[in-house]
Amino acid sequence: MVLLEIENVHTYYGHIHALKGVSLDVERGEIVTLIGANGAGKSTMLKTTSGLLKPRLGSIRLEGEELTRYRPHEIVAKGVVQVPEGRRIFGRLTVRENLEMGAFAITDRHQIESNLERVFNLFPRLRERQKQLGGTLSGGEQQMLATGRALMANPSVLLMDEPSMGLAPVLVDIIFATIRQLHADGTTILLVEQNARMALQVASRGYVLQSGSIVLRDKAESLRQNEMVRKAYLGET
């Protein structure tokens, strides 16, 4: 069953045509990845989906409901929640305060506490550091915090933008193990990731974006075997 459907989306930065008729879909419970070079439009796609950018043309639907009419905080309340590139945590707030900020749309205190417990079980390090200022965490811990903050909103679809960016290899493994765990728990994920090899290992399907257009779409296993993908994104000859 299709949960998130993006159809013929065109997004501009001023006169720059950044997304040129992008269409993709994510089924409930899936991990779908969007790969491409720097500047291809991957982050623009996620920002458009979450309402931070408005498309000039096209449709973005969650369970059939049009999202483009809503503002970003309303889209979060609908269930589409982004883990932004670069973490974007609140450095002067504690870990716990950062997490509670993610639950701004939830009024039930018991639900917030239940969500906190879920995040702390997923990331025990955050439980240990819940009184520590977010800005003093390591890069890997900040990525955990950014992911946990998004989970506090009870997302129907989790948009993850370059979660491994700037992390040491051992931390990259931890982040992707977390993505697998979220998937096992039933979370639907649209993953943008520069590390195409890792992304195609966790995803069931993938799309390749070049210069604002989708040029390939297939099962992840098929994309891993595709000659163009292997040369351009997997570093193989």
Side-chain angles (χ1 to χ4, degrees):
M1 175 183 176
V2 174
L3 180 59
L4 178 68
E5 188 172 11
I6 297 166
E7 185 177 4
N8 193 33
V9 164
H10 293 258
T11 300
Y12 289 73
Y13 292 101
H15 296 296
I16 299 173
H17 197 175
L19 296 178
K20 305 167 184 174
V22 172
S23 297
L24 61 87
D25 60 75
V26 184
E27 295 186 5
R28 188 180 300 276
E30 262 195 320
I31 300 178
V32 172
T33 189
L34 183 61
I35 63 175
N38 285 333
K42 304 187 303 298
S43 293
T44 300
M45 186 67 258
L46 292 194
K47 289 177 181 177
T48 303
T49 305
S50 60
L52 296 172
L53 295 171
K54 288 292 183 183
R56 289 193 192 175
L57 183 68
S59 176
I60 300 173
R61 298 182 294 273
L62 180 70
E63 294 186 290
E65 181 178 12
E66 184 63 46
L67 296 181
T68 56
R69 67 172 69 102
Y70 295 113
R71 292 178 290 179
H73 70 278
E74 295 170 325
I75 291 174
V76 169
K78 293 287 182 182
V80 178
V81 186
Q82 185 167 346
V83 183
E85 180 182 358
R87 290 50 141 174
R88 300 295 181 89
I89 64 163
F90 300 100
R92 295 186 179 183
L93 299 183
T94 66
V95 166
R96 188 183 182 95
E97 289 168 339
N98 267 275
L99 293 173
E100 290 178 340
M101 287 290 287
F104 74 90
I106 300 175
T107 57
D108 184 344
R109 189 68 208 178
H110 293 293
Q111 181 65 63
I112 293 173
E113 290 298 327
S114 175
N115 290 0
L116 273 171
E117 190 61 24
R118 178 195 179 195
V119 170
F120 287 149
N121 287 336
L122 188 62
F123 301 114
R125 209 172 302 183
L126 296 184
R127 187 193 300 274
E128 298 167 5
R129 290 161 170 74
Q130 60 181 295
K131 295 182 180 179
Q132 188 172 328
L133 294 181
T136 64
L137 299 177
S138 69
E141 290 165 348
Q142 288 188 12
Q143 185 61 53
M144 295 174 192
L145 180 55
T147 304
R149 181 181 60 191
L151 293 174
M152 289 294 294
N154 289 335
S156 299
V157 180
L158 189 64
L159 310 178
M160 302 193 75
D161 194 355
E162 304 285 7
S164 76
M165 185 175 66
L167 300 182
V170 64
L171 293 175
V172 172
D173 290 341
I174 291 173
I175 292 301
F176 274 92
T178 300
I179 292 171
R180 289 187 177 93
Q181 182 60 55
L182 291 172
H183 177 242
D185 292 342
T187 304
T188 303
I189 299 172
L190 177 56
L191 172 66
V192 161
E193 178 55 58
Q194 191 72 19
N195 189 333
R197 185 179 303 278
M198 295 290 284
L200 291 172
Q201 286 176 2
V202 299
S204 58
R205 294 187 297 116
Y207 295 80
V208 178
L209 192 64
Q210 286 185 358
S211 302
S213 299
I214 300 291
V215 296
L216 277 174
R217 63 189 73 203
D218 211 330
K219 293 180 179 180
E221 175 60 32
S222 296
L223 289 176
R224 287 200 299 270
Q225 302 304 320
N226 181 277
E227 184 177 359
M228 185 273 281
V229 172
R230 291 171 63 186
K231 289 181 178 179
Y233 305 110
L234 303 182
E236 299 179 8
T237 57

